[in-house]
Amino acid sequence: MIGRSGVDRPVGLEVDHVGVAVHDLDEGSAPWRLLGLPVADDETVAEQGVRVRMLRAGDTEIELLAPLDASSPIARFLSRRGPGVHHVAFRVEDVEAELARLLREGARAVDLTPRPGRAGSRVAFLHPSWAGGVLVELVQPADPERSS
Ligand code: CO
């Protein structure tokens, strides 16, 4: 397959989205809107303690994450490091199998089993200490054949 750069090499996993921690979704989305990224509806992901707003950028998205309350992992991130890039998410077909494979290969994970993500997806986070300080998310999108 020929990549966008025109170089003939494997394409690898696709970046599903880049997660960005913000204090407030409206304030946090202003620069991205100015860049011209279309905004989707907000969604609450209670399991992760966040309110989420997606902004589409071609084949990928910016995922703005605002804390629901002070106990949210995003609230802790904001108090330690301030607003900014929080994680990079890759799309996988089978999050359970991919997580198990990575753990067998010695990866460190935040989640030992997948958990519910936004829009019916299933996700698992790998530990930032494993990927050079980057929090990596694996996302298995909702099965479009099984709309729940
Ligand atoms: Co994410």
Side-chain angles (χ1 to χ4, degrees):
M1 185 164 179
I2 308 292
R4 275 185 205 144
S5 62
V7 177
D8 188 4
R9 59 190 181 91
V11 171
L13 291 180
E14 287 187 43
V15 173
D16 186 81
H17 62 267
V18 175
V20 176
V22 297
H23 289 290
D24 176 86
L25 289 179
D26 289 330
E27 188 190 332
S29 57
W32 306 101
R33 298 178 77 126
L34 197 58
L35 270 171
L37 307 194
V39 178
D41 289 339
D42 296 353
E43 186 179 337
T44 297
V45 184
E47 292 86 355
Q48 294 176 34
V50 290
R51 187 95 179 134
V52 179
R53 180 176 295 177
M54 305 302 288
L55 298 106
R56 181 149 287 284
D59 289 340
T60 188
E61 290 181 288
I62 300 293
E63 177 186 70
L64 299 183
L65 303 153
L68 286 178
D69 56 49
S71 71
S72 163
I74 293 298
R76 290 200 297 275
F77 179 92
L78 287 166
S79 69
R80 281 205 318 268
R81 299 168 67 166
V85 172
H86 178 261
H87 65 269
V88 177
F90 294 96
R91 207 170 304 144
V92 296
E93 277 180 24
D94 183 338
V95 67
E96 201 131 40
E98 188 59 10
L99 179 62
R101 184 187 72 80
L102 289 165
L103 289 170
R104 277 198 309 275
E105 297 289 335
R108 291 190 60 207
V110 176
D111 301 307
L112 295 178
T113 55
R115 52 171 143 157
R118 56 168 289 280
S121 64
R122 296 175 71 225
V123 306
F125 285 90
L126 299 161
H127 202 277
S129 67
W130 170 70
V134 178
L135 178 62
V136 172
E137 179 184 6
L138 306 175
V139 188
Q140 178 183 336
D143 186 345
E145 320 238 304
R146 271 186 300 145
S147 53
S148 52

